[in-house]
């Protein structure tokens, strides 16, 4: 149930467990890391290049440059005209696209497996040989501003999230929106894009993920041929970004917008992320999110607030542990008509306190573990999503070993560990509470 | 994201899709001992099955004055069945790690199920109880009704939903196609439990049933499963949907709405799925406005002028009426220019058609992309059901690429002249677009 809530759920999507699959890894002499995932059921390949750079690596005042550069990467190279890469992919029956987050920027093509070499030739070409005219940059900036208008300014729930993140992170660049602040995007230049590109787009800052109907040795041979000769960026050091200081005071905000028809509350707590070789704390939080908010009818919050006290139309708990720096654990409640925001927030706090008091229902823990095991079977059906899991993890400070260890780790988590994690994370002093409301609504209503 | 893909366009891809060579040889037509027909692809490498079931005649079967009843009924199916209330049902389902989705469009109600081989019988027994003995408890109806009303309230302040509702009303008037399938706040508020029970009786019957299964199951196992799951269903539908009368007039409707970026829908009468010109029309849409970078509209509106992040067109051949439509979003100050470019391109393709090179490129893309769509059990099951619903033969799979390749430049330009009618275009714009005025209404 249904559209409105889907959007909220996506906002808080929990991290996906990784699955069993035949995985082979290599590293080239120039630093390029390679992951090959085999699935021979259909003659298809997904070819992805992930850069270890995203919106949280932007210079001050240049918000949006990582995402703007992502768009400009389609404007051609010494040997490819503007838009030609996409045109060639299309003519070969494939599709291509790209996406930017705080920790990574990724480019991918999905195409018949026998076209892999062509994809590699073009993707390797634009890793070091990008060209763009001033006109292309001007037009594309307009496109990016329209993208911001469509996907942020026209969506009050996204504007609300932007405000909440800015309140959450005092010092970490995670408080800056990926698309950038409008005023800064309007001033991004071709020179800004080139400087960012030349430093960060290099084999020693990239991960190549190839998934589908391929032979790992063949992939390695092709990668050596096309990516092998590319020069690394010298002096590229580990990513040390401004860190979040300890939060000492609760932060609250009220977001009013006439386009919000259905008020809701999001509470987000600063929380540790998955660290390489040390993922247990994150595994506890992942299980906590599943138990509290995983399913509308069987989760703790669903049982207590949707079915029990009927204070909520919808509740959710979300935690995404795949992140280079500190992440968040979030709770959402959409109050029923007649329930005030204050009542809803109090009911949410009470439900969480009761959960900590009552402990974990062993049957529910068993059901969640059963579902996580089944997810590994179902997800074998989707090698592209597995490829995305590896790409995200390997650009967020994790290794393929961490990815592979994760599912077994989740199965080990005990009821006591979950409660201990809940006691630790649910500290109002380390939280941002946001109320999203229609313009005219009274607070107490 | 560099590009935004239209969800509607994706849904339509499914209707036009066909299988790669490998899957083609594997599709079996199965008839259960009890006479239920299904298409099956056996795929035993992963121990689960995706099952897709559709009943023709979905939300358009709503009784007069009861708009939204079928949508609410479908959303309440999983909220308690047989001896289990909503929570007990959800626990049973989660213990099996099965998933059931119940969805409805105007033309079809669909059931998408996914279950492990190790507990297949239990999962099917549970799904059967949802389909055959839903409880429709009053408290479950109230809970789901409140959720539906929240969605309807949100739609009222969402410019895209406002545009869609306005366009549908202008196009189809009082026919169910002319209103949102989830109903209005008034209609949904007044639905009773009897209305929900009546809605249930309108949708589920075996006479317009389509089934596909893909996964770890044999033909014999599937036949037994289908008889168990669906054998007790009534044979015939008690209601039918009538033909929708097309009512769009050329012109512009502006709906005043406070938003920085305006949303426009545009289009006119389209082409039936069983029309002999459908494949050329589909290729034309690919060239004109598929939403990919190479389409004419993306090139003209986005790449050359930077007026939008995304513009696309699609064919919408529904069971009882058909449209060719498009969508664009643009800043209020730029919308007028975007619409001018779209009008000019609509006229240009109608009058001059497409070039031999464009046709060749589109054929290369469509025939090459064809095997890439069949990359998972659930997507393949959905495609197989879609093919059955539009009446394609099981061997369409082998002939589809040849049909695309056989389209000549003369064919496609004749169809361009037939399909694109610039003087018939209707625009609905939601926002405060500078220099765009309503023409009537």
């Amino acid at each position: 149930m249904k559209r409105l809530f889907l959007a909220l759920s996506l906002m808080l999507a929990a991290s996906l467990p990784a699955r069993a699959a035949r995985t082979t890894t290599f590293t080239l002499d120039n630093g390029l890391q390679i992951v090959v995932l085999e699935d021979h059921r259909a003659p298809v390949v997904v070819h992805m290049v992930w850069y270890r750079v995203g919106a949280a690596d932007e210079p001050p005042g240049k918000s949006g440059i990582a995402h703007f550069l992502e768009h400009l990467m389609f404007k051609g190279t010494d040997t490819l005209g503007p838009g030609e890469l996409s045109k060639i992919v299309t003519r070969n029956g494939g599709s291509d696209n790209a996406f930017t987050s705080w920790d990574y920027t990724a480019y991918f093509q999905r195409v018949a497996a026998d076209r892999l070499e062509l994809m590699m030739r073009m993707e390797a070409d634009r890793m070091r040989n990008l060209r763009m005219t001033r006109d292309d940059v001007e037009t594309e900036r307009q496109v990016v501003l329209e993208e911001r208008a469509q996907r942020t300014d026209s969506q009050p729930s996204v504007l609300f999230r932007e405000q909440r993140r800015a309140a959450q992170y005092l010092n970490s660049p995670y408080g800056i929106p990926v698309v950038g602040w409008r005023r800064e995007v309007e001033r991004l230049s071709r020179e800004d894009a080139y400087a960012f590109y030349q430093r960060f787009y290099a084999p020693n800052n990239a991960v190549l993920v190839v998934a589908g109907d391929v032979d790992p040795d063949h992939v390695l041979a092709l990668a050596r041929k096309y990516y092998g000769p590319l020069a690394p960026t010298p002096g590229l050091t580990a990513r040390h970004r401004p860190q979040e200081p300890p939060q000492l005071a609760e932060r609250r905000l009220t977001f009013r917008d006439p386009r919000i028809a259905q008020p809701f509350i999001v509470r987000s707590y600063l929380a540790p992320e998955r660290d390489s070789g040390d993922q247990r704390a994150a595994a506890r939080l992942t299980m906590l999110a599943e138990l509290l908010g995983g399913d509308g009818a069987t989760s703790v919050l669903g049982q207590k607030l949707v079915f029990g006290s009927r204070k909520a139309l919808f509740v959710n708990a979300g935690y995404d542990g795949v992140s280079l720096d500190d992440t968040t654990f979030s709770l959402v409640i959409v109050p029923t008509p007649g329930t005030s925001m204050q009542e809803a927030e109090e009911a949410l706090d009470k439900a969480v306190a009761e959960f900590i008091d009552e402990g974990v229902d062993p049957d529910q823990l068993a059901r969640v573990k059963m579902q996580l095991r089944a997810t590994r079977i179902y997800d074998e059906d989707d090698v592209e999503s597995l490829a995305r899991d590896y790409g995200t993890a390997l650009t967020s400070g994790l290794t393929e070993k961490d990815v592979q260890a994760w599912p077994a780790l989740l199965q080990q988590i005990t009821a006591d560990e979950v409660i201990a994690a809940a006691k630790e994370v649910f500290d109002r002093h380390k939280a941002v509470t946001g109320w999203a409301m229609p313009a005219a609504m009274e607070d107490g209503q | 994201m560099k590009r935004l893909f239209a969800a509607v366009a994706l849904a339509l891809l499914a209707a036009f899709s066909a299988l790669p060579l490998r899957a083609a040889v594997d599709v079996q037509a199965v008839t259960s001992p009890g006479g239920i027909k299904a298409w099956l692809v056996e795929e035993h490498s992963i121990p689960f099955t995706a099952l897709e079931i559709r009943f023709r005649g979905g939300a358009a079967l709503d009784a007069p004055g009861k708009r939204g009843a079928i949508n609410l009924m479908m959303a309440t199916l999983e909220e308690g069945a047989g001896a289990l209330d909503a929570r007990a049902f959800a626990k049973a389902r989660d213990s099996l790690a099965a998933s059931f989705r119940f969805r409805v469009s105007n033309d079809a109600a669909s059931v998408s199920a996914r279950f492990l081989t190790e507990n297949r019988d239990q999962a099917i027994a549970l799904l059967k109880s949802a389909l055959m003995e839903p409880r429709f408890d009053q408290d479950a109806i109230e809970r789901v009704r409140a959720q539906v009303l929240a969605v309807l309230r949100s739609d009222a302040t969402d410019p895209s939903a406002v545009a869609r509702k306005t366009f549908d009303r202008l196009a189809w008037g009082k026919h169910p196609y002319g209103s949102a399938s989830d109903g209005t706040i008034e209609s949904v508020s007044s639905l009773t439990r009897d209305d929900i029970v009546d809605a249930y009786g309108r949708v589920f019957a075996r006479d317009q049933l389509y089934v596909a299964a893909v996964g770890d199951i044999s033909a014999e196992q599937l036949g037994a499963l289908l008889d168990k799951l669906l054998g007790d269903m009534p044979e015939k539908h008690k209601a039918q949907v009538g033909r929708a009368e097309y009512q769009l007039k050329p012109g512009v409707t502006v709906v005043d709405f406070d938003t920085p970026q305006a949303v426009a829908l545009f289009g006119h009468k389209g082409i039936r799925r069983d029309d002999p010109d459908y494949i050329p029309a589909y290729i034309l849409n690919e060239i004109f406005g598929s939403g990919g970078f190479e389409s004419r509209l993306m090139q003209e509106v986005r790449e050359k002028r930077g007026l939008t992040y995304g513009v696309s067109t699609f064919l919408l051949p529904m069971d009882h009426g058909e449209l060719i439509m498009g969508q664009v979003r643009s800043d209020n100050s730029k919308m007028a220019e975007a619409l001018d470019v779209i009008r000019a391109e609509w006229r240009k393709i109608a009058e001059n058609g497409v070039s031999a090179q464009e046709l060749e490129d589109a054929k290369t893309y469509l025939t090459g992309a064809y095997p890439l769509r069949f990359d998972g059990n659930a997507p393949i099951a959905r495609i197989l059901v879609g093919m059955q619903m539009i009446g394609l033969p099981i061997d369409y799979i082998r002939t589809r690429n040849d049909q695309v390749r056989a389209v000549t430049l003369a064919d496609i330009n004749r169809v361009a002249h037939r399909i694109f009618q610039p003087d018939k275009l209707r625009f609905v714009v939601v926002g405060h677009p500078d220099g765009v005025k309503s023409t009537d209404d």
Side-chain angles (χ1 to χ4, degrees), chain A residues 249-420:
Chain A
E250 181 185 4
R251 295 171 204 149
R252 302 187 63 88
L253 51 103
T254 303
F255 181 82
R256 291 180 182 277
D257 189 307
R259 295 170 295 178
I260 294 177
Q262 177 63 56
F264 63 101
I265 299 170
V266 182
R267 163 84 58 73
S268 55
Y269 302 85
L270 269 185
E273 75 283 4
R274 282 167 66 179
D275 287 322
S276 186
D278 182 12
Q279 303 187 90
R280 194 157 191 117
R284 291 172 186 144
L285 290 170
T286 301
M287 295 304 282
L288 175 64
E290 286 291 329
L291 291 164
L292 273 182
D295 175 90
T298 59
S299 70
V300 170
L301 295 180
Q303 299 251 12
K304 287 181 184 295
L305 298 169
V306 180
F307 285 82
S309 67
R310 304 193 186 183
K311 300 283 187 201
L313 287 175
F314 173 83
V315 283
N316 197 15
Y319 168 72
D320 184 0
V322 182
S323 177
L324 192 61
D325 296 318
D326 279 353
T327 182
T328 57
F329 191 107
S330 303
L331 302 173
V332 177
I333 179 166
V334 181
T336 43
T339 304
S340 74
M341 298 295 267
Q342 189 62 41
E343 276 178 89
E345 189 179 334
E346 283 166 10
L348 181 65
D349 282 328
K350 184 163 162 266
V352 169
E354 283 172 6
F355 169 70
I356 290 175
D357 236 32
E358 292 160 1
V360 173
D361 170 7
D363 290 344
Q364 198 202 353
L365 185 61
R367 279 198 304 274
V368 166
K369 287 186 176 176
M370 168 68 184
Q371 285 181 287
L372 289 170
R373 270 197 297 273
T375 302
R376 299 187 71 189
I377 293 173
Y378 292 135
D379 287 357
E380 269 182 61
D381 200 31
D382 186 357
V383 72
E384 190 171 336
S385 132
L386 183 55
R388 281 195 298 272
D389 285 356
Y390 273 92
T392 312
L394 269 53
T395 49
S396 304
L398 300 173
T399 66
E400 69 270 16
K401 283 201 174 58
D402 297 320
V403 176
Q404 286 152 10
W406 182 248
L409 191 55
L410 292 176
Q411 295 293 329
Q412 290 170 15
I413 300 301
T414 66
D416 289 346
E417 283 182 280
V418 170
I419 296 298

Side-chain angles (χ1 to χ4, degrees), chain A residues 61-120:
Chain A
K62 303 290 181 189
S63 68
I65 192 67
H67 171 254
F68 188 33
L69 173 60
E70 178 222 298
H71 278 238
L72 295 171
M73 284 288 282
F74 292 82
K75 295 302 177 192
T77 65
D78 295 344
T79 57
L80 289 167
E84 197 178 346
L85 184 146
S86 295
K87 202 179 185 86
I88 291 171
V89 174
T90 305
R91 281 191 184 168
N92 281 278
S95 56
D96 70 321
N97 214 328
F99 46 91
T100 308
S101 186
W102 285 274
D103 293 330
Y104 53 79
T105 311
Y107 300 81
F108 70 91
Q109 300 87 32
R110 191 166 178 280
V111 72
D114 60 2
R115 319 289 158 93
L116 175 62
E117 180 165 3
L118 179 60
M119 300 302 115
M120 276 209 194

Side-chain angles (χ1 to χ4, degrees), chain A residues 201-265:
Chain A
Y201 280 52
N204 55 330
N205 201 39
V207 182
L208 170 68
V209 184
V210 179
D213 188 16
V214 292
D215 165 50
D217 291 332
H218 181 58
V219 173
L220 177 62
L222 290 177
R224 281 206 176 107
K225 180 173 173 189
Y226 292 104
Y227 291 101
L230 301 178
T233 295
L236 203 58
T237 50
R239 298 155 87 185
H240 291 301
R241 302 187 294 208
Q243 296 295 300
E244 205 44 30
Q247 184 177 341
L248 305 177
E250 181 185 4
R251 295 171 204 149
R252 302 187 63 88
L253 51 103
T254 303
F255 181 82
R256 291 180 182 277
D257 189 307
R259 295 170 295 178
I260 294 177
Q262 177 63 56
F264 63 101
I265 299 170

Side-chain angles (χ1 to χ4, degrees), chain B residues 53 63 86 159 378 416:
Chain B
I53 303 169

Side-chain angles (χ1 to χ4, degrees), chain B residues 354-414:
Chain B
V354 300
S355 71
Q357 184 65 50
E358 283 176 310
L359 175 58
E360 215 37 55
D361 287 350
K363 285 183 183 177
T364 311
Y365 169 68
L366 290 172
T367 55
Y370 172 65
L372 304 188
R373 293 176 190 161
F374 304 87
D375 66 335
N377 293 356
I380 294 172
R382 281 196 296 273
I383 289 163
L384 291 181
V385 160
M387 289 174 60
Q388 294 175 69
M389 283 199 75
I390 52 185
L392 297 174
I394 204 165
D395 74 338
Y396 172 80
I397 292 155
R398 278 190 290 277
T399 66
R400 182 269 195 183
N401 266 0
D402 291 339
Q403 292 184 45
V404 170
R405 285 191 202 101
V407 172
T408 66
L409 193 60
D411 290 335
I412 201 156
N413 287 336
R414 172 182 58 77

Side-chain angles (χ1 to χ4, degrees), chain B residues 172-391:
Chain B
W172 307 113
K174 290 195 185 337
H175 189 274
Y177 285 177
S179 60
S181 60
D182 45 5
T184 63
I185 288 177
E186 294 71 36
S187 71
V188 172
S189 298
S190 66
L191 293 171
T192 64
R193 183 173 185 279
D194 286 348
D195 295 330
I196 301 303
V197 172
D198 176 71
Y200 171 78
R202 288 170 172 266
V203 169
F204 294 108
R206 271 163 39 197
D207 58 339
Q208 296 186 70
L209 171 67
Y210 304 87
V211 182
V214 180
D216 185 23
I217 190 167
S218 69
E220 200 181 326
Q221 288 165 333
L222 178 63
L225 180 157
L226 292 176
D227 282 347
K228 190 173 159 199
L229 181 64
L230 302 166
D232 299 340
M233 226 168 233
E235 292 232 348
K236 287 208 179 306
H237 273 82
K238 56 185 186 186
Q240 298 295 331
V241 182
R243 183 88 190 145
E245 188 198 340
Y246 176 82
Q247 300 171 24
L248 271 185
K249 297 185 191 76
V252 179
T253 302
V254 176
V255 181
D256 277 337
F257 195 91
D258 225 3
T259 171
Q261 189 185 46
V263 179
L265 288 179
F266 45 90
H268 55 58
K269 196 168 173 59
I271 179 168
R272 290 173 63 105
R273 182 59 187 81
D274 58 6
D275 191 295
D277 284 338
Y278 188 81
I279 285 185
Y282 186 85
I283 298 173
L284 273 169
N285 181 63
E286 182 62 35
I287 295 168
F288 183 71
S290 64
F293 280 140
E294 310 319 320
S295 78
R296 285 188 177 189
L297 287 187
M298 276 292 264
Q299 285 295 317
E300 296 298 324
V301 185
R302 171 171 158 158
E303 293 299 300
K304 289 188 186 162
R305 295 177 179 84
L307 298 174
T308 189
Y309 175 56
V311 54
S312 61
T313 57
F314 46 93
L315 302 176
L316 190 56
M318 300 179 288
D319 281 356
H320 311 287
E322 49 283 333
L323 296 169
I324 175 169
M325 282 186 72
Q327 171 167 276
V328 68
R329 290 157 180 263
S330 190
D331 191 272
N332 278 315
S333 66
K334 298 178 188 165
M335 184 54 100
E337 186 185 353
L339 297 187
D340 283 347
V341 174
I342 290 166
R343 272 193 201 94
E345 289 298 317
W346 210 279
R347 185 168 299 284
K348 198 168 115 195
I349 197 167
E351 289 175 357
N352 307 331
V354 300
S355 71
Q357 184 65 50
E358 283 176 310
L359 175 58
E360 215 37 55
D361 287 350
K363 285 183 183 177
T364 311
Y365 169 68
L366 290 172
T367 55
Y370 172 65
L372 304 188
R373 293 176 190 161
F374 304 87
D375 66 335
N377 293 356
I380 294 172
R382 281 196 296 273
I383 289 163
L384 291 181
V385 160
M387 289 174 60
Q388 294 175 69
M389 283 199 75
I390 52 185

